[in-house]
């Protein structure tokens, strides 16, 4: 049933974003007094609809790639007052003041910003546990290696921004795409245990790259390394003298690079005395530990190729340690402030990325369309509800920023027309508006084709 996850996650993601956006327009339109004819999520043939007490038709349509709020306009020749008695005496859109019309146009993007704040508020209040962002030693010739880092590290800050996981690091580094100047990284070297700030000089960093490798170009390799973050009280690990922060580098002289290597060595050595080689605050130690035994039930095939399987019990070693994790949780009020700050930061980053696309610092091929969004939605849903909602918040901000661009057909384009009306003292001519809207429709269609081509190219 996994193949259903991607379309379902896509429809849920886009449906929520569009519903919030259009509901923003709807609420302010109702506040202004204008009569709302139709509130639609999606385009095309309605799947179902209902009419409220004020005569507004609410519709869920077949094509879930947007939505609209249709308002009564007394200039519309298609409006039949005789067939629609509820329109008699109704307030029309063009009879509103320019400021009400601006408020209606901006209400959609504002609703998407508000949705992002609410989601981040929930995420910060609910809290999360993430593996500490650690990297193996950078490769020869990488930017980090040339800047003086030649061993495994844990990353603490990127350009003064505190980071708790690789997603934070990815977003902080994304802001620097196409830049020249100094990138500052605060890291802890696992071997020495010393915190230091590394200055990495950038020169048109990954400028114009279609698929920028922000980690690889620096020499970062996101990993779960065998650094002890927790020692169980009374365990064999405690009796052996292991401590929080110990970096295990070998077991019985066999090197271990990742946490999985370390776990595998422990699990296959029940009741066996092991020599653990480790670094603690820059000092090399060798300790001896004997893993306890625990019985684990596994499912093993009765014979190769057999359809049936039977349970089997095996003995595994157990030492009583856990990796380094970072818990992020805030009280209700502080979580709200963090939600606002996160939304403002992501909004600034989105505007910056759009600006860099126009200047060529960031390739337009990094844009994603419906297919790409469906893939992201499905993958985030598989990763858990926190990841899915985090992607929803980021997409909501992107939708808000996109609609604020001064392109006819978008909310920002409507605002430009209304501002021109305020400055000139009269509405922009119908002919000019019609031509501009057709041009805007053409641009939006071209963008849709372009991002869909990008999506399909990535899949191929």
């Amino acid at each position: 049933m996994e193949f259903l996850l991607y379309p379902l996650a896509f429809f849920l993601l886009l449906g929520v974003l569009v519903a919030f956006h259009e509901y923003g327009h709807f609420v302010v339109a109702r506040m202004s007094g204008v009569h709302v004819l139709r509130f639609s999520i999606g385009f095309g043939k309605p799947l179902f609809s209902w009419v409220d007490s004020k005569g507004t038709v609410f519709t869920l349509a077949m094509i879930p790639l947007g939505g609209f709020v249709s308002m009564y306009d007394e200039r519309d020749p298609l409006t039949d007052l005789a067939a629609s008695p509820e329109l008699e005496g109704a307030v029309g859109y063009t009879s509103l003041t320019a400021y009400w019309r601006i408020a209606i146009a901006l209400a959609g993007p504002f609703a998407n910003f508000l949705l992002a704040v609410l989601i981040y508020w929930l995420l910060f209040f609910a809290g999360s546990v993430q593996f500490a962002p650690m990297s193996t030693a950078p490769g020869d010739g990488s930017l980090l290696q040339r800047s003086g880092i030649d061993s495994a590290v844990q990353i603490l800050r990127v350009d003064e921004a505190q980071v708790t996981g690789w997603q934070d690091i990815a977003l902080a580094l994304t802001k620097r795409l196409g830049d020249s100047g100094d990138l500052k990284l605060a890291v802890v070297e696992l071997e020495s245990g010393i915190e230091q700030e590394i200055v990495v000089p950038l020169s048109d960093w990954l400028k114009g790259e279609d698929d920028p490798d922000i980690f690889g170009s620096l020499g970062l390799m996101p990993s779960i390394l065998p650094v002890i973050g927790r020692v169980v009280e009374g365990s064999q690990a405690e009796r052996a003298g292991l401590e929080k922060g110990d970096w295990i580098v070998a077991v019985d002289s066999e090197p271990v690079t990742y946490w999985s290597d370390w776990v595998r060595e422990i699990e296959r050595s029940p009741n066996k005395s092991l020599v653990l080689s480790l670094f603690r605050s820059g000092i090399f130690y060798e300790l001896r530990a004997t893993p306890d035994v625990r019985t684990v039930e596994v499912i093993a095939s009765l014979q190769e190729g057999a359809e049936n399987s039977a349970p089997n019990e095996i003995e595994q070693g157990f030492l009583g340690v856990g990796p380094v994790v970072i818990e992020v949780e805030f009280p209700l009020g502080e979580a709200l402030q963090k939600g606002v700050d996160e939304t403002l930061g992501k909004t600034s980053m989105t505007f910056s990325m759009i600006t860099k696309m126009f200047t060529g610092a960031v390739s337009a091929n990094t844009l994603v369309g419906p297919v790409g969004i469906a893939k992201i939605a499905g993958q985030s849903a598989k990763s858990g509800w926190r990841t899915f909602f985090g992607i929803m918040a980021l997409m909501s901000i992107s939708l808000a920023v996109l609609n604020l661009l001064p392109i006819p057909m978008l909310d920002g384009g409507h605002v430009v027309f209304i501002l021109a009306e305020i400055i000139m003292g009269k509405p922009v001519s119908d002919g000019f508006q019609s031509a501009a809207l057709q041009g805007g429709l053409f641009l939006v269609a071209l963008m849709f084709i372009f991002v869909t081509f990008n999506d399909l190219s990535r899949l191929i």
Side-chain angles (χ1 to χ4, degrees):
M1 300 298 289
E2 184 176 314
F3 72 96
L4 290 176
L5 179 64
Y6 285 82
L8 289 175
F10 172 71
F11 293 142
L12 176 60
L13 176 68
L14 209 58
V16 172
L17 299 187
V18 171
F20 259 79
H21 184 91
E22 299 305 333
Y23 192 68
H25 290 311
F26 173 78
V27 168
V28 178
R30 279 276 175 91
M31 290 172 59
S32 73
V34 71
H35 181 72
V36 179
L37 299 173
R38 182 178 292 270
F39 178 100
S40 179
I41 303 299
F43 302 109
K45 184 179 180 180
L47 296 175
F48 67 87
S49 60
W50 62 280
V51 182
D52 73 354
S53 59
K54 296 187 178 181
T56 300
V57 180
F58 292 82
T59 301
L60 179 65
M62 289 186 63
I63 306 174
L65 297 179
F68 62 90
V69 172
S70 176
M71 290 168 279
Y72 170 56
D73 187 342
E74 53 270 85
R75 301 175 305 170
D76 188 353
L78 298 179
T79 302
D80 187 353
L81 294 177
S84 307
E86 72 274 6
L87 296 180
E88 186 174 347
V91 176
Y93 176 75
T94 50
S95 66
L96 296 174
T97 66
Y99 300 104
W100 265 120
R101 283 179 279 142
I102 289 175
I104 292 173
L106 294 179
F110 176 80
N112 283 123
F113 287 131
L114 179 60
L115 174 61
V117 170
L118 293 175
I119 291 174
Y120 285 131
W121 184 16
L122 167 67
L123 293 177
F124 282 119
F125 179 65
S128 64
V129 178
Q130 306 178 59
F131 291 111
M134 296 182 183
S135 172
T136 55
D140 292 340
S142 65
L143 290 174
L144 276 178
Q145 195 266 342
R146 294 202 300 267
S147 299
I149 294 295
D150 55 9
S151 67
V153 295
Q154 177 180 341
I155 301 172
L156 305 178
R157 294 185 301 279
V158 178
D159 282 338
E160 311 304 329
Q162 201 80 21
V163 295
T164 57
W166 282 104
Q167 186 179 33
D168 291 345
I169 296 171
L171 290 170
L173 292 177
T174 298
K175 294 180 183 178
R176 301 302 305 273
L177 285 174
D179 283 359
S180 296
D182 291 337
L183 170 69
K184 297 179 181 178
L185 297 176
V187 303
V188 173
E189 282 194 317
L190 300 187
E191 183 174 329
S192 65
I194 296 173
E195 179 181 338
Q196 57 179 305
E197 184 173 83
I198 305 302
V199 177
V200 182
L202 303 178
S203 178
D204 293 333
W205 185 51
L206 300 175
K207 182 175 182 178
E209 294 263 345
D210 290 349
D211 189 15
D213 184 2
I214 57 176
F215 294 146
S217 67
L218 291 173
L220 292 173
M221 179 63 70
S223 310
I224 305 174
L225 301 184
V227 179
I228 296 176
R230 179 174 62 93
V231 177
V232 177
E233 187 176 349
S235 65
Q236 288 287 4
E238 185 182 56
R239 285 193 284 272
L242 289 174
E243 296 180 4
K244 181 178 178 181
D246 288 348
W247 176 31
I248 311 298
V249 294
V251 177
D252 279 349
S253 301
E254 287 293 325
V256 291
T257 303
Y258 305 106
W259 184 266
S260 58
D261 301 334
W262 155 243
V263 169
R264 185 167 54 251
E265 293 294 331
I266 297 301
E267 286 183 341
R268 68 186 186 186
S269 305
N271 278 335
K272 178 184 176 182
S273 179
L274 301 173
V275 176
L276 309 180
S277 303
L278 58 94
F279 282 98
R280 179 185 298 167
S281 302
I283 302 174
F284 180 77
Y285 291 89
E286 285 191 338
L287 302 179
R288 189 170 290 276
T290 303
D292 281 325
V293 181
R294 64 179 176 184
T295 302
V296 179
E297 187 176 275
V298 298
I299 303 298
S301 297
L302 292 174
Q303 62 183 39
E304 188 174 352
E307 294 183 2
N308 298 321
S309 58
N312 187 26
E313 290 186 345
I314 63 172
E315 290 185 343
Q316 286 185 347
F318 176 74
L319 203 54
V321 293
V324 181
V325 295
I326 298 176
E327 297 184 24
V328 180
E329 186 177 350
F330 297 92
L332 196 61
E334 193 174 344
L336 176 59
Q337 182 60 56
K338 290 287 292 182
V340 172
D341 294 342
E342 191 77 4
T343 301
L344 292 175
K346 297 291 195 302
T347 301
S348 174
M349 183 193 74
T350 305
F351 274 114
S352 174
M353 293 295 291
I354 291 174
T355 302
K356 288 181 178 181
M357 283 184 188
F358 280 111
T359 61
V362 174
S363 172
N365 290 331
T366 57
L367 291 170
V368 296
V371 178
I373 294 173
K375 182 179 178 182
I376 293 170
Q379 290 175 338
S380 63
K382 287 171 63 177
S383 299
W385 70 270
R386 286 181 174 84
T387 304
F388 180 75
F389 277 98
I391 291 295
M392 181 182 287
L394 191 57
M395 291 283 188
S396 190
I397 292 170
S398 298
L399 179 61
V401 171
L402 177 65
N403 272 277
L404 288 175
L405 297 179
I407 298 173
M409 288 291 296
L410 301 180
D411 297 326
H414 290 302
V415 172
V416 170
F417 282 139
I418 300 168
L419 290 176
E421 176 184 335
I422 294 173
I423 294 170
M424 297 188 303
K426 61 179 182 180
V428 178
S429 68
D430 291 341
F432 182 82
Q433 287 196 51
S434 178
L437 288 173
Q438 289 179 15
L441 178 61
F442 179 71
L443 284 175
V444 171
L446 275 182
M447 183 183 296
F448 181 83
I449 294 171
F450 176 72
V451 296
T452 302
F453 177 78
N454 279 351
D455 292 343
L456 296 177
S457 297
R458 293 188 190 98
L459 289 177
I460 294 172

